[in-house]
Amino acid sequence: MLTNAVPTTLGPVIGAGQGHVRAFKGVPFAMARRFAKATPPLAWTGPRRCTDYGPYAPQPGQLDQPEESCLSLNIWTPVGADRPLPVLFFIHGGAFVTGGGADYDGTFLAARGPAVIVTINYRLGPLGFLQLHRHGLSEASNLAISDALAALDWVHANIANFGGDPDKVTLSGQSAGASMVIALATLPQAKGKFARALALSAPGRNIMSADHADHIARRVLAELEIEQDQGAIVSVPLPKLFAAVERVGRRIADETEAGTVFGPVLDGAVIPREPRDVFADGTLRDVELWLGSCRDEMVMFLKSTPPAAMIRATERNLRVAFGDAGWERLLACYRGSVRPDEDPYEALLSDAFWHRPMADLARSHAEAGGAVWLSRFDHRPALEPFLSQGPTHGADNACLWAHLPDFIDRPILKRKGGPMTPADIDVAARFQTSLLRFVTSGMPDVAQAWPRFEPHKESLAIFGQPFQVVPLNEGARSRLWAELSA
């Protein structure tokens, strides 16, 4: 059933009813020519039908999507709310090269909140993250970040018409999306447009230097053999452009700190400061923050073929930081304290690349006077790849977006959903409840069973069976990390 038209700054939109929720899909918030900054799309006068997902960003294996019109968002809002509702603004992950907002159906979360749920598209791979402004080929850097800012601006200006409270927007994202949330939260352009932030599985090194980003751009131009006619890159066919980027990525992955080619860049313009420094100096002390990760983050990347470059990068970084002797001490410690079902090498890399950087950010925010909660997801969903790999990267995200009692399909990533076990339902229900409490009140647990992370009491919530809260730094592993880092 179609909804009544809802006015926006660009023109009225019509959505579709899904039970007690209205859904507006494929709402344009911007348009962009290749390597140009996003601009507002052309306005319309008559009601625009927004009942189907819009095109998502071109990405490997799916390069038939239109470039200029991929910048759209999706909104789910409950029917009959008697007050403005909090808003969850979600940025998808996918290593900065895959994914889209259509992989996350917000119907269930919107009804359960009640809350307004927004998912967005942004440009991916070279179209969003190749930094060409130093070569005069782009009017701006960090185009994907600018896309997300444009979406946030649209939400701030329009979400009240959909029943949302523009003063209660939670920036949220998973994996690459979490990296973008951490960067976005620190930007002057975003100030006053969000109230709190949730970052799930943000990579430890989530900001790239401008020099390194420029090095990648030069390598791509050379690979395309257009150094003498660099302007030709705007008309290179997408398959050729993405193939060149893939070849360059394979060659230089081991030169990068995080083993990835793309990500937000400390360019001094769109991102003027290292995000973690902004959290540490107290600029964001009024922003409530939830940082989460999955217990076995690295399993997925170890089992990829070939193993992801971040595996080698993490070990290399540890050997540089602590020397070969320090690396061997760490590995011996993990082997000596291994769980029955644990790979000590994976556990060490997960701590180094994911868990410890998240804890460090929580510590910086807490010491600066901010309210922060830290969590780890230990539950193994009965859904591949988690059924065979355990609570690896994305396990929490699968439960967050589940429509209990079922996991949802992920059409862009071609992952099927399916029925949940009683354990899945129990853990997912608690996780969703905590998130919706956080979005509504700024606290994920109103009963204080999960206390905030404090400098004098570093609490870690474990989402599993049972749910529990434990001290963060206990045991031989933590003591050795402290000794080596002193």
Side-chain angles (χ1 to χ4, degrees):
M1 182 177 67
L2 297 180
T3 68
N4 294 328
V6 175
T8 78
T9 51
L10 294 168
V13 295
I14 292 174
Q18 296 180 204
H20 296 292
V21 172
R22 296 177 300 157
F24 300 82
K25 299 176 179 178
V27 181
F29 66 83
M31 62 182 298
R33 294 176 292 105
R34 187 183 296 185
F35 302 127
K37 190 173 181 179
T39 58
L42 296 175
W44 55 90
T45 53
R48 182 183 185 118
R49 184 165 176 155
C50 293
T51 55
D52 297 304
Y53 293 114
Y56 46 88
Q59 51 197 276
Q62 301 179 70
L63 297 177
D64 56 346
Q65 299 293 311
E67 293 181 57
E68 292 195 3
S69 58
C70 69
L71 300 181
S72 65
L73 51 77
N74 314 297
I75 305 166
W76 291 266
T77 182
V79 174
D82 59 0
R83 66 190 186 284
L85 297 175
V87 180
L88 179 74
F89 178 96
F90 183 77
I91 305 175
H92 70 82
F96 308 106
V97 295
T98 62
D103 265 352
Y104 304 92
D105 186 313
T107 306
F108 188 83
L109 284 177
R112 183 171 180 181
V116 176
I117 310 298
V118 178
T119 68
I120 72 167
N121 292 342
Y122 56 95
R123 282 174 284 181
L124 299 169
L127 302 178
F129 293 96
L130 190 62
Q131 308 298 314
L132 295 170
H133 60 292
R134 287 189 178 182
H135 302 270
L137 302 176
S138 175
E139 62 192 33
S141 57
N142 279 308
L143 293 174
I145 294 289
S146 295
D147 293 347
L149 278 170
L152 184 61
D153 287 344
W154 190 98
V155 166
H156 186 70
N158 292 285
I159 207 64
N161 294 339
F162 296 86
D165 186 341
D167 295 323
K168 282 192 175 181
V169 174
T170 297
L171 287 180
S172 66
Q174 185 263 345
S175 192
S179 288
M180 293 181 67
V181 163
I182 290 170
L184 277 171
T186 69
L187 303 187
Q189 306 95 303
K191 185 175 177 60
K193 297 171 185 172
F194 73 100
R196 46 194 66 105
L198 165 66
L200 299 176
S201 299
R205 299 174 183 272
N206 60 356
I207 198 79
M208 186 180 292
S209 74
D211 286 344
H212 189 69
D214 183 56
H215 173 66
I216 292 170
R218 285 187 277 108
R219 293 285 293 266
V220 171
L221 291 170
E223 184 69 21
L224 289 168
E225 299 181 340
I226 56 174
E227 301 101 315
Q228 305 308 314
D229 183 20
Q230 296 179 355
I233 196 169
V234 298
S235 57
V236 169
L238 285 183
K240 184 176 179 180
L241 174 61
F242 274 75
V245 167
E246 183 181 1
R247 291 192 299 270
V248 170
R250 286 198 303 266
R251 291 172 193 151
I252 70 172
D254 284 335
E255 300 173 21
T256 68
E257 285 189 277
T260 54
V261 175
F262 292 129
V265 175
L266 187 61
D267 60 355
V270 178
I271 303 179
R273 298 178 58 198
E274 161 64 58
R276 290 172 185 264
D277 291 343
V278 180
F279 279 97
D281 70 14
T283 300
L284 298 174
R285 65 170 58 92
D286 293 332
V287 172
E288 295 102 353
L289 181 64
W290 176 356
L291 301 171
S293 57
C294 296
R295 189 190 70 190
D296 302 336
E297 290 276 4
M298 277 295 194
V299 169
M300 177 180 292
F301 304 101
L302 276 167
K303 291 184 178 294
S304 62
T305 305
M310 70 172 65
I311 302 294
R312 300 187 298 276
T314 305
E315 178 176 339
R316 183 174 64 249
N317 292 336
L318 288 174
R319 288 182 183 274
V320 169
F322 303 134
D324 290 342
W327 163 260
E328 294 299 338
R329 288 184 64 193
L330 278 168
L331 192 53
C333 178
Y334 276 72
R335 285 170 174 160
S337 55
V338 67
R339 295 191 318 270
D341 60 344
E342 183 179 54
D343 176 346
Y345 181 70
E346 181 277 326
L348 170 54
L349 296 183
S350 287
D351 278 353
F353 191 86
W354 305 93
H355 304 143
R356 291 183 58 78
M358 296 290 269
D360 287 342
L361 181 57
R363 194 170 293 117
S364 293
H365 195 53
E367 290 174 350
V372 57
W373 287 262
L374 187 67
S375 69
R376 194 181 75 206
F377 199 85
D378 282 20
H379 175 68
R380 176 198 298 262
L383 176 77
E384 290 297 349
F386 316 108
L387 195 58
S388 58
Q389 297 182 5
T392 189
H393 190 67
D396 51 359
N397 208 34
C399 289
L400 172 58
W401 293 95
H403 291 191
L404 308 187
D406 295 296
F407 293 109
I408 64 171
D409 293 342
R410 303 279 296 280
I412 299 175
L413 293 186
K414 296 181 172 60
R415 289 185 183 175
K416 295 297 270 182
M420 304 172 78
T421 66
D424 291 333
I425 295 170
D426 176 66
V427 176
R430 179 180 283 273
F431 196 66
Q432 291 179 347
T433 297
S434 295
L435 175 133
L436 292 167
R437 284 174 177 162
F438 181 74
V439 169
T440 301
S441 69
M443 297 175 60
D445 193 306
V446 294
Q448 290 297 302
W450 174 11
R452 60 194 269 185
F453 188 99
E454 301 275 12
H456 62 278
K457 186 178 181 182
E458 297 185 341
S459 301
L460 174 69
I462 305 293
F463 283 91
Q465 285 195 304
F467 173 83
Q468 56 184 319
V469 177
V470 301
L472 174 65
N473 289 313
E474 281 193 342
R477 295 178 179 182
S478 293
R479 289 192 295 271
L480 181 55
W481 278 107
E483 178 186 336
L484 292 172
S485 302

